[in-house]
Amino acid sequence: MELGLSLGETMADAGRELVLGLGVGAGERREEETGRGRRDQEVVAGARRDLGLGAMGCGSSPEPTTMRLALLPLVPSLGFPWPSESRHLEASTPRGFDVNQAPSTGGSAWACAAEEEEQEDTAAVAGAAVSSSPNNSGGSFPMDFCAQGGDGAPGGGGGGGSRGGSDEDDGGSSRKKLRLSKEQAAFLEESFKEHSTLNPKQKVALAKQLNLLPRQVEVWFQNRRARTKLKQTEVDCEYLKRCCETLTEENRRLQKELAELRALKTVHPFYMHLPATTLSMCPSCERVASNSAPASAAAGGIAAAAPEHRPPSSFAALFSSARSFTQAPAPAPSSS
DNA sequence: CGTGCTATCCGGATTACCTCA
DNA sequence: AGTGAGGTAATCCGGATAGCA
């Protein structure tokens, strides 16, 4: 499922309209999943059966149900640039990303994970793996998750493990809550920055590296994606709210302007007898044009958008400058 | 080729636990 | 010490998809 919200695709067109398009789509999720080895799933599935867990996470489309808000990233005259983090979701989950591919950056968490894959069968204890991991993540975390002991590592003593782990046989009804150690959380975070989704191998490797259960890694990623999306939604909501306020303000101003013009018409009906070309609407740039002075540079991006049709009158300049927030390049992905 | 079944994954909603003010 | 709020790990459920018979 995809929720696409596009805003301002016509903004390049002098911002005459603010279009909010909300679309719900489906069916893209599995495009990355085709061709994935079944064996990978079975490896994990086997572990799952042993543990009696629920569904395991598996790398599918990296952006399964991303809420895509194709909003203008930066609207200078609005004065509220799109928060950088708001782009994080998409940035971190590019379409078509091959989660099976090791990241190009050598010193990544995934490099560690990839290393782990090689010795997947041999590394019996995560501790052994952990010892090798910190070095290949440039500026990485000194991980010693096995030594977390205490409340950090669930594997440590198994007591920390959730229902998914050895905790299963302690009654079952009580679900103990694992608290990931800072190192574990940081490592997962680093991993998430590179891939917001995991394929089975990565999951297993990561779990091994962190001395967690694959299921726990999967759950962490799921929750992390949910948090990201929630945050993204909040940011987008805030942005839209500001857009709405700005547009409301502009609408108010235009209404006032219209009233003034009407009053002018009443007081000086003479003007109304002028040729129609004196005050006309340019069909291409949708701006008021007249035969008087050339447009002021204040028109900004608007003027640049339609250099052939300078709004000459001061009113037009005012009209244009008021819309200067529409000067953004307006990527408008969906617009034609 | 179409269909039913199974397995798997994921998102969304929710629960339950833990920490902290 | 008790408590409520917030964070988050874990669970449940439904939808979607792939593989297979």
Side-chain angles (χ1 to χ4, degrees):
Chain A
M1 186 182 89
E2 181 181 32
L3 178 64
L5 174 61
S6 63
L7 170 114
E9 56 184 347
T10 60
M11 279 185 169
D13 185 12
R16 187 60 58 134
E17 331 167 88
L18 180 67
V19 177
L20 283 167
L22 249 174
V24 177
E28 321 183 28
R29 279 178 53 182
R30 296 294 158 175
E31 55 190 1
E32 296 292 326
E33 211 169 21
T34 54
R36 186 187 58 216
R38 198 71 173 171
R39 193 177 59 84
D40 295 345
Q41 301 182 17
E42 288 172 356
V43 168
V44 184
R48 188 183 67 133
R49 276 190 292 272
D50 294 338
L51 297 166
L53 295 173
M56 302 292 292
C58 177
S60 64
S61 174
E63 189 187 7
T65 62
T66 297
M67 179 175 165
R68 284 196 312 156
L69 283 154
L71 293 166
L72 297 175
L74 183 64
V75 186
S77 53
L78 274 179
F80 42 86
W82 197 277
S84 58
E85 182 167 10
S86 68
R87 294 286 122 201
H88 172 66
L89 185 62
E90 283 207 87
S92 64
T93 61
R95 285 185 186 282
F97 193 89
D98 184 5
V99 294
N100 293 305
Q101 210 168 20
S104 56
T105 56
S108 68
W110 288 119
C112 303
E115 253 182 39
E116 281 308 302
E117 287 178 22
E118 302 303 325
Q119 36 185 322
E120 188 171 326
D121 296 329
T122 57
V125 187
V130 167
S131 64
S132 68
S133 56
N135 298 331
N136 41 7
S137 62
S140 63
F141 337 98
M143 292 189 308
D144 189 4
F145 303 112
C146 290
Q148 292 300 321
D151 48 36
S162 64
R163 284 183 55 170
S166 53
D167 198 28
E168 273 264 310
D169 48 358
D170 70 340
S173 61
S174 70
R175 81 170 172 189
K176 295 241 170 103
K177 183 151 184 161
L178 155 77
R179 197 73 185 181
L180 293 175
S181 68
K182 284 183 181 177
E183 289 79 10
Q184 285 173 319
F187 194 76
L188 287 168
E189 199 66 44
E190 282 297 310
S191 304
F192 184 82
K193 280 180 185 172
E194 297 182 35
H195 304 289
S196 62
T197 53
L198 296 171
N199 67 19
K201 281 190 175 180
Q202 289 172 331
K203 181 167 54 183
V204 171
L206 199 52
K208 199 174 286 182
Q209 211 163 356
L210 298 176
N211 198 25
L212 294 170
L213 297 167
R215 170 69 179 161
Q216 289 175 301
V217 173
E218 182 197 357
V219 166
W220 187 91
F221 269 75
Q222 283 179 356
N223 286 323
R224 183 65 179 79
R225 283 192 293 268
R227 284 195 295 271
T228 299
K229 186 171 184 178
L230 182 65
K231 204 177 235 179
Q232 169 83 62
T233 302
E234 288 173 358
V235 169
D236 291 342
C237 185
E238 187 61 30
Y239 181 84
L240 290 174
K241 208 186 296 178
R242 292 193 189 185
C243 278
C244 185
E245 288 170 3
T246 302
L247 290 172
T248 302
E249 176 60 31
E250 191 195 353
N251 185 46
R252 195 178 301 125
R253 191 186 55 74
L254 288 174
Q255 294 283 357
K256 185 181 172 188
E257 219 169 71
L258 181 62
E260 288 173 0
L261 285 174
R262 280 179 175 153
L264 191 66
K265 176 184 173 183
T266 306
V267 174
H268 304 288
F270 165 74
Y271 292 144
M272 295 300 112
H273 293 94
L274 292 175
T277 53
T278 302
L279 191 65
S280 62
M281 185 70 79
C282 173
S284 62
C285 59
E286 291 191 58
R287 262 179 273 110
V288 175
S290 75
N291 296 330
S292 57
S296 68
I302 299 303
E308 308 300 327
H309 306 277
R310 307 277 181 194
S313 69
S314 58
F315 167 72
L318 178 65
F319 191 75
S320 296
S321 64
R323 301 177 186 283
S324 58
F325 72 90
T326 63
Q327 65 182 326
S334 60
S335 67
S336 57

